[in-house]
Amino acid sequence: MQAPTTSFYDCQQRFATEQACLDAIAGQRWPQGFCCPHCRHDHGWLHAARHRYECARCYRQTSITSGTVFHGSRVPLTKWFWTLYLISADKGGISAMRLAKIIGVQWRTACKMLRSLRAAIAERDSLYR
C-alpha cells in the first residue's frame, strides 16, 4: 500500500512550528497516550514549558524526544522534519551540501543529520529482513 504523496509546501505547513513537530513525535511514540518508559504506568502529565512528561506513579520525567534521533540536537525540529521529507521525496536521496543550502545549516551539521537519519532507517529496515 502506497502512502499519499505530500508536497514540500504541505510538509512545511503541517510542521511549521516546534509544537506541531513535538505533537507528531508524541503521537508516534505513544499512540494510546503517554506510557512511562521506566515503570510502564499509563498516566502522567505534560510540563509544556519543558516538553517533558512526568509519570504519576514513579515521578520520572521523560522528554518527548528522548530515545529518538532528535534527542540532544540543537537543530530545530522543523528542520529535522524538512530533512525527513527531502530524504523520502527524492529517489536518489539528497547530498549534505544541498541539504545544508536548503534548510540553512552548516555542511557538517547536515552531514551529521543525514548520517543519523540514514542509520535509523537502516536499523528499521533490518527489522523486516
Side-chain angles (χ1 to χ4, degrees), residues 4 54 125 128:
E54 185 172 337
D125 287 345
Y128 293 106

Side-chain angles (χ1 to χ4, degrees), residues 29-88:
R29 281 190 77 177
W30 305 300
Q32 283 84 28
F34 173 73
C35 178
C36 178
H38 184 261
C39 69
R40 297 289 181 217
H41 188 64
D42 63 350
H43 183 67
W45 49 87
L46 176 66
H47 293 280
R50 298 183 67 199
H51 308 296
R52 293 174 184 251
Y53 279 94
E54 185 172 337
C55 178
R57 180 186 292 163
C58 68
Y59 302 108
R60 289 188 184 231
Q61 292 186 359
T62 304
S63 170
I64 295 173
T65 59
S66 66
T68 66
V69 294
F70 315 115
H71 181 72
S73 174
R74 293 187 220 161
V75 177
L77 287 175
T78 53
K79 292 185 180 189
W80 276 100
F81 275 64
W82 296 343
T83 302
L84 282 168
Y85 175 80
L86 292 169
I87 286 174
S88 63

